Amino acid sequence: MTGSWRDLEAIPEGTGPCAVTIGNFDGVHLGHRRILRSVAETARAGAMTSVALTFDPHPLRIVAPDQAPEALTSIGQRIELIREQGIDRVAVLPFTAELSRLSPEEFAGRVLVSKLAAKHVTVGENFRFGRGQTGNAATLKSLGARLGFEVVLAGTVTVGDRAVSSTRVRRLVRQGRIDRAAVLLGRVFSLRGPIVRGEGIGSRRTVPTLNLAPESEVLPADGVYVTATLLPGEDRCRESVTNVGMRPTFDGRRRTVETYLLGSLECGPPDAIELRFLRKIRDERRFPSAESLRSQIRDDIEVAQRYFRRSGILSAQSSSVH
């Protein structure tokens, strides 16, 4: 992928000097965005390359699997969101058992100095690195003084007197509070992935839908949402209504993400889509019959149409919050 390196060996010889920030950046929320933009500005001012160094999978998947958080964004989406903040390159290190055994000194020497020729490194105040997470921001500052790079600690971004964090965003999304999650993200929450074959229930008994297989792991709470759907090759989102849940009316056995486009598809079903969640309409519930569910879907569509008329524009023409 343009603008990214997917392992250490992919980083060309002679790269640098670089201004670097290190983190998981899951969700690329307001706090991440501020750090990324600051690093991009520092790099431009100092004629350096700006680099965001991240990991895939999340380090906890290797060192403490039972504590690993579910991902808000796939690695591909994360790279795109990071690059949108002005970062020149995203270095994605495959987090392996071998990498986890590097001491803080070895990590700084091999990765930051030898590979990236880092001259400026920005991290959060709670940054931990190296074998057993024995290194912290103070360790990095000490290593920087010895190895020739400056270390800057990023301040905390708060919303509602509380720190913005990926953990907080995950909780809001899972609660279906996508409007609040959007405030912390600085953009609407979205899912992307391939379209997969469903069981045909919608086409036969309610309305035809596109069935999304999300690339990321965190899903909104079960329910019906006003969404905007972006199809491959298009720069304009389409109005849509999306159901997340188990389809209890039909005794569903697995959670699905099904989207009904309010307009017609000219070229047949797409291979993949991106769904941008704008507003929750209602919780998912069991209906006594397919006909009563169809009636409710008509009501849901009217709610979505009123939303789009009232907004005056498709709110998801960009991923920014309106």
Side-chain angles (χ1 to χ4, degrees), residues 36-49:
L36 293 164
R37 288 174 180 172
S38 173
V39 170
E41 291 169 4
T42 297
R44 284 194 296 270
M48 294 181 283
T49 298

Side-chain angles (χ1 to χ4, degrees), residues 297-317:
I297 290 173
R298 288 193 290 269
D299 292 342
D300 297 336
I301 290 171
E302 289 182 9
V303 171
Q305 290 172 331
R306 286 198 300 270
Y307 173 91
F308 288 116
R309 286 197 300 268
R310 187 170 63 250
S311 68
I313 58 172
L314 250 183
S315 297
Q317 287 306 306

Side-chain angles (χ1 to χ4, degrees), residues 104-135:
E105 292 82 1
E106 290 171 327
F107 180 86
R110 293 185 190 180
V111 179
L112 297 178
V113 177
S114 296
K115 279 294 182 179
L116 296 173
K119 296 300 179 184
H120 178 101
V121 181
T122 300
V123 294
E125 295 176 353
N126 297 323
F127 176 69
R128 305 297 294 241
F129 72 113
R131 184 171 52 243
Q133 295 191 320
T134 52

Side-chain angles (χ1 to χ4, degrees), residues 6 15 30 39 50 76 114 131 173 186 209 211 222 259 266 292 307:
R6 299 305 293 260
T15 295
L30 285 179
V39 170
S50 57
S114 296
R131 184 171 52 243
V173 171
T209 58
N211 297 275
D222 289 358
T259 296
E266 298 82 7
S292 60
Y307 173 91

Side-chain angles (χ1 to χ4, degrees), residues 136-149:
N136 56 22
T139 309
L140 189 63
K141 277 197 167 189
S142 176
L143 289 167
R146 179 151 47 92
L147 297 174
F149 56 85

